[in-house]
Amino acid sequence: MMKCKFAIATAVLSLGFLPVVSQAQSYPDRPITVIVPFTPGASTDNLTRAAAKGLQDILGQPVIVRNQPGAGTSIATNAALRADADGYTILMQSSGFMTSLYGMKNPGYKMSDFNAIGALGYTPFIMLAQNEDYAKSLETFVDYLKSNTGKLNVATLGEGGVHVLLSNAFQKEAGFKWTNIPYKGGAPAMNALLAGDVVSYSATVSFATSQKGQDRITPLAVTSKTRSEFFPDIPTFAEKGYPGVYALADYGLIVRSDTPDDIQKKLRDAMAKVMNSKEMKEVLRNLGMEPFDGDATAYEKQINEFAEFYAREAKALNMPVN
């Protein structure tokens, strides 16, 4: 009887010394889904699909892209939040991830619900104006705006997005007033600028590169901290004394924050390899985007900085801040 008890005790005790298998060792053992909050064929969709192909090659499992556009990216975000926190559902995030936090009363998620696994790239905004004498430089344009304060219109995309926040920040720092006119997309906003319905529109640099041959439009300043490689002769707003006019349309991949740490690390390591590849750098250049200089931790810090800016400006506009 004692021998039997000893044998059982030994067997139970030995179980405690079995090697612990990390979840990441077997991950992934089935396909991974990347949810994209934009329609198929958009530049952001093409960028994500290129990254998904790279992740698939490294991780050895299919990485499937699923498009779920709508409601300022919140439909896709909430779909990712409802999925299991196991690393098999990844969300492609953009500035819309943050703008929905203040543009919607109940977006259904918080910043703390997700962690970054890596940046895909970014594009700053660039202020465009008609090629007139008053817009030969940002200085002359500001003089014109001040002398016509309250009389002019500027194009924005929607009524609560980053364009409105940039417009608000520029008005405050430069000391003038104009009226935000919402448009449903970059093309109609550009047409309004060409028609003279508005005096300015801040397009993404990736969009503006397609307009470089348009001699009726002139670029004035970019909203990044450093000059854009696609418009190296155009100054930043900060260079001209307006440091608060700062925003990027950034894109990256995130997962639920309660995803196991070892799986998050595996995804971050894989993303770093993908984004350092020549293929992805070429994809970014072809799309008019720039690579993010930093790891997932630095990218997460940048996201939080943007969120603080958006929340501050949204509060000034009396928009809901969650």
Side-chain angles (χ1 to χ4, degrees):
M1 184 69 176
M2 288 182 64
K3 285 184 179 179
C4 181
K5 287 182 178 179
F6 178 77
I8 293 172
T10 302
V12 171
L13 187 62
S14 67
L15 290 175
F17 291 94
L18 288 174
V20 177
V21 178
S22 164
Q23 293 184 63
Q25 284 184 271
S26 59
Y27 172 87
D29 59 10
R30 63 179 190 272
I32 297 168
T33 297
V34 179
I35 302 176
V36 178
F38 303 103
T39 56
S43 59
T44 45
D45 177 63
N46 294 333
L47 175 62
T48 307
R49 289 178 186 276
K53 173 63 169 59
L55 286 174
Q56 179 172 294
D57 293 342
I58 292 171
L59 296 173
Q61 286 289 341
V63 179
I64 302 163
V65 174
R66 188 175 84 213
N67 299 86
Q68 286 191 246
T73 76
S74 65
I75 290 177
T77 303
N78 282 287
L81 188 58
R82 288 192 300 269
D84 292 336
D86 54 10
Y88 288 96
T89 301
I90 298 171
L91 175 67
M92 183 273 187
Q93 80 87 25
S94 70
S95 304
F97 172 82
M98 288 165 280
T99 55
S100 290
L101 284 173
Y102 61 75
M104 301 175 67
K105 288 187 177 179
N106 296 296
Y109 62 91
K110 307 181 297 297
M111 288 291 297
S112 58
D113 288 331
F114 294 92
N115 285 347
I117 63 170
L120 289 168
Y122 73 91
T123 176
F125 296 89
I126 184 166
M127 178 168 282
L128 305 174
Q130 282 195 327
N131 193 6
E132 301 287 351
D133 288 340
Y134 61 75
K136 294 302 181 185
S137 67
L138 187 62
E139 290 88 348
T140 61
F141 189 52
V142 169
D143 288 341
Y144 178 72
L145 295 175
K146 286 182 176 180
S147 63
N148 291 277
T149 189
K151 301 176 183 178
L152 304 172
N153 299 328
V154 60
T156 63
L157 300 190
E159 298 183 1
V162 65
H163 290 84
V164 173
L165 299 188
L166 284 171
S167 170
N168 185 55
F170 187 38
Q171 290 178 77
K172 285 195 302 182
E173 295 210 348
F176 71 91
K177 292 288 184 182
W178 58 10
T179 301
N180 298 321
I181 305 297
Y183 291 88
K184 292 184 177 180
M190 183 63 72
N191 289 337
L193 178 58
L194 289 169
D197 296 332
V198 297
V199 293
S200 181
Y201 167 54
S202 291
T204 59
V205 164
S206 59
F207 180 83
T209 52
S210 66
Q211 306 293 318
K212 276 190 172 182
Q214 178 57 262
D215 58 5
R216 293 163 59 194
I217 298 298
T218 185
L220 296 174
V222 294
T223 63
S224 47
K225 291 181 179 178
T226 58
R227 295 191 179 196
S228 168
E229 65 174 274
F230 298 98
F231 290 88
D233 297 329
I234 304 304
T236 67
F237 276 96
E239 285 179 58
K240 295 299 181 179
Y242 309 111
V245 187
Y246 167 65
L248 302 176
D250 70 289
Y251 311 102
L253 299 183
I254 59 179
V255 293
R256 278 183 48 170
S257 56
D258 51 347
T259 300
D261 291 343
D262 51 358
I263 290 179
Q264 290 192 50
K265 183 180 185 306
K266 193 164 190 176
L267 285 170
R268 288 181 174 186
D269 291 345
M271 266 295 287
K273 291 178 182 177
V274 170
M275 297 313 299
N276 282 326
S277 68
K278 291 181 180 179
E279 292 81 3
M280 279 305 299
K281 290 177 180 178
E282 185 65 22
V283 168
L284 285 169
R285 173 163 285 280
N286 290 339
L287 291 173
M289 297 184 188
E290 300 179 37
F292 180 76
D293 184 19
D295 60 11
T297 301
Y299 176 52
E300 200 161 88
K301 180 181 178 182
Q302 176 176 280
I303 293 174
N304 289 326
E305 287 177 356
F306 286 165
E308 290 174 5
F309 164 74
Y310 295 147
R312 183 174 64 251
E313 295 301 320
K315 193 172 183 179
L317 289 172
N318 295 317
M319 297 167 67
V321 178
N322 299 285

